Amino acid sequence: NMQFNKIDNRIFELYRKVEHINEMFIRQHSLQVEEYYRINVLENPKYSNSKRLNKFEYQVFSQFGEDGILAEIFNRIGVTNHFFIEFGVENGTETNTTRTLLNGWNGVWIEGEKSHVEDIHKSFAGYIANGSLNVLNSFITAENIEELFNKANIPQEPDLLSIDIDRNDYHIWKSINRYRARVVVIEYNAIYRPGDKFIVPYDSNARWDGSSHFGASLEAYCQLGSEKGYKLVGCTFSGVNAFFVREDLIANHFEAPYTAENHYEPARYFLYKKDGHYRKIFS
């Protein structure tokens, strides 16, 4: 027993050292990200226009600065029904809508993986119980998306729609015709520059394979958005998500022109930081 206790103690001490190293790395990375952002955004004349959105970026539950950009968009255009829809939420701790949920919004999450849905039911039990959050366990296709919206009693003009399923995003948005969200957030493929009109071929059974063969270019989304009555108003500095606002709400709130050439941001995935604080909230 004494021998086993010594081994256990050594393992525990080793674990503590590893955790300490991880914590120091995360802190250092966070400082580096903040410094990079300060120099390249806050002190960059490109982003000085008061109508540009990047200087408002911050992360609460979003992967990058989406939380801050969304807050600023709704600060400018106002909020109506405080309703959101998001799919591809995994376990709900890293989304574009968790912050709004915690701030009194109602909404629907759609997630294909059963294990993630089970985690959501554990972590967000109170919000599900009081009716603030409805969670559907379903894989999304262009053929079933509006049926799922109807099943979940989605209002025809929700305030926010967030699309991030890593493959067929373009085709899913194209298939949503009976519902017109005021704001749409969608992941774009940043390896394609303005002028490139890449769209991944539709395959309802396809899933992201970890490569850069996914989604669509920002140019393709701008064209689709225009067809659906939306304008591009900005992208995250990380080059991950694009923000579209319905044309009737644009007014003079955002920086024109509403083009890929003006708002495109290249892929800066190295800015990703996950310090774990949001996971501890629900533990």
Side-chain angles (χ1 to χ4, degrees), residues 6-267:
K6 288 181 180 179
I7 294 174
D8 287 343
N9 288 336
R10 288 173 186 169
I11 292 173
F12 181 68
E13 286 300 318
L14 179 61
Y15 173 79
R16 287 184 61 183
K17 288 179 180 178
V18 171
E19 284 293 291
H20 177 70
I21 292 171
N22 287 339
E23 183 178 352
M24 293 299 294
F25 174 80
I26 289 169
R27 287 181 179 177
Q28 183 62 32
H29 181 59
S30 296
L31 290 174
Q32 290 173 348
V33 168
E34 290 171 6
E35 180 67 6
Y36 184 92
Y37 184 79
R38 181 184 64 80
I39 294 171
N40 290 280
V41 177
L42 300 182
E43 298 178 3
N44 187 340
K46 173 183 176 181
Y47 303 99
S48 62
N49 188 308
S50 62
K51 294 179 183 178
R52 207 163 184 101
L53 292 166
N54 297 94
K55 60 180 173 289
F56 296 97
E57 292 190 25
Y58 61 75
Q59 177 198 49
V60 182
F61 292 92
S62 58
Q63 186 176 15
F64 293 95
E66 294 86 354
D67 283 324
I69 288 181
L70 286 170
E72 180 59 21
I73 288 175
F74 285 109
N75 182 53
R76 298 181 189 187
I77 69 171
V79 182
T80 57
N81 50 31
H82 294 84
F83 199 96
F84 64 81
I85 311 104
E86 183 167 5
F87 23 100
V89 297
E90 296 188 346
N91 65 8
T93 60
E94 189 176 85
T95 79
N96 294 327
T97 57
T98 300
R99 176 184 169 275
T100 61
L101 173 66
L102 271 61
N103 278 290
W105 288 39
N106 297 330
V108 174
W109 285 347
I110 307 175
E111 170 56 46
E113 294 291 344
K114 184 178 180 181
S115 60
H116 288 322
V117 173
E118 291 172 351
D119 288 339
I120 291 171
H121 276 274
K122 294 175 184 177
S123 298
F124 296 86
Y127 295 95
I128 295 171
N130 68 22
S132 299
L133 179 63
N134 184 9
V135 185
L136 301 183
N137 182 196
S138 176
F139 283 102
I140 295 168
T141 66
E143 293 78 20
N144 73 5
I145 184 60
E146 289 203 330
E147 178 185 343
L148 291 171
F149 277 25
N150 182 58
K151 178 180 179 181
N153 295 316
I154 301 291
Q156 287 196 322
E157 297 187 7
D159 273 313
L160 176 59
L161 168 63
S162 181
I163 303 173
D164 181 2
I165 56 174
D166 295 329
R167 164 78 191 204
N168 290 320
D169 305 56
Y170 176 95
H171 304 284
I172 299 304
W173 190 22
K174 184 177 181 180
S175 299
I176 300 173
N177 296 309
R178 288 187 288 132
Y179 301 84
R180 298 193 70 238
R182 299 172 77 237
V183 177
V184 175
V185 187
I186 192 163
E187 184 179 30
Y188 68 98
N189 193 328
I191 72 168
Y192 295 98
R193 301 279 168 155
D196 296 336
K197 295 183 180 178
F198 168 79
I199 304 169
V200 73
Y202 179 64
D203 180 349
S204 61
N205 296 313
R207 301 290 181 264
W208 184 48
D209 60 6
S211 74
S212 58
H213 189 63
F214 71 91
S217 65
L218 190 61
E219 191 76 46
Y221 278 125
C222 283
Q223 183 174 330
L224 177 61
S226 180
E227 294 170 1
K228 297 175 76 67
Y230 290 83
K231 295 293 187 184
L232 174 69
V233 298
C235 296
T236 51
F237 184 64
S238 58
V240 174
N241 276 307
F243 300 82
F244 290 84
V245 173
R246 226 169 53 195
E247 287 180 348
D248 58 304
L249 304 171
I250 290 289
N252 196 33
H253 297 309
F254 305 97
E255 184 180 281
Y258 311 110
T259 61
E261 185 176 4
N262 184 33
H263 288 295
Y264 169 82
E265 296 291 345

